[in-house]
Amino acid sequence: MAITLVNPNGLPEIDVYRQVSIATGSKLVFIAGQVAWDVDGVTVGEGDLAAQVEQCYLNIATALAGIGSSFDDVAKLTVYVVDWTPDKMPILMDGITRATAKLGVTPVPPATLLGVAALDVPEHLVEIEATAVIN
C-alpha cells in the first residue's frame, strides 16, 4: 500500500476522511471525474443523490481495479455536488455508506467537497474524481 492516512494533532478528526495522505508509491494515477453512469453510459439513480454517489464510488473502484489498484491507494478525492447545501450531507453519506458496504472498504482519504451550479448533463447530481498513488 502506497498511502498512509493521518489525522495530525492540532487538526479536527473527521469520521469520513483523514486530514493528510502520505504517498510513498512511484506512480501517480489521476482518475477522471466519475458520474453515475453504468457500463452502458446510462445514468443510474436519476434524481437520487445517494444512488448517484454510490455509483460514482463503484465507478472509481472499477477504474482502480482496472489498473490492479484499490481504494487503499487513493490519496485524494474531490466531490462536486450540484446545488450543494449542508442539509444534503446525510444523503451524500448514505451513498458513500452503501458503496463502501458493497465494496468492503473504508475509503477515508483527504477529500474536498465543492458545490457547483451544474455538471455535464442535467441528470448528473454529483461527480467524484480520485488521485491515487501506486508502486
Side-chain angles (χ1 to χ4, degrees):
M1 182 165 42
I3 303 296
T4 302
L5 302 173
V6 180
N7 271 327
N9 290 333
L11 293 176
E13 289 192 25
I14 309 296
D15 289 339
V16 296
Y17 67 88
R18 301 299 177 259
Q19 296 284 0
V20 176
S21 175
I22 303 167
T24 57
S26 58
K27 294 180 186 176
L28 284 175
V29 177
F30 300 95
I31 298 174
Q34 295 299 302
V35 293
W37 278 331
D38 67 11
V39 69
D40 297 316
V42 175
T43 298
V44 173
E46 192 166 338
D48 182 344
L49 179 60
Q52 290 198 17
V53 169
E54 178 181 2
Q55 186 64 42
C56 290
Y57 268 75
L58 297 176
N59 289 349
I60 290 168
T62 298
L64 290 165
I67 60 166
S69 184
S70 73
F71 264 100
D72 289 337
D73 298 315
V74 173
K76 173 92 169 57
L77 292 171
T78 304
V79 180
Y80 304 90
V81 181
V82 174
D83 297 326
W84 174 257
T85 56
D87 63 306
K88 293 181 181 179
M89 185 60 82
I91 301 166
L92 179 86
M93 295 308 301
D94 181 44
I96 293 170
T97 299
R98 290 168 19 190
T100 57
K102 280 186 179 177
L103 296 168
V105 299
T106 306
V108 290
T112 299
L113 172 63
L114 298 167
V116 297
L119 293 170
D120 59 331
V121 294
E123 59 267 20
H124 289 158
L125 304 175
V126 62
E127 183 168 331
I128 304 173
E129 63 184 23
T131 302
V133 179
I134 58 175
N135 291 317

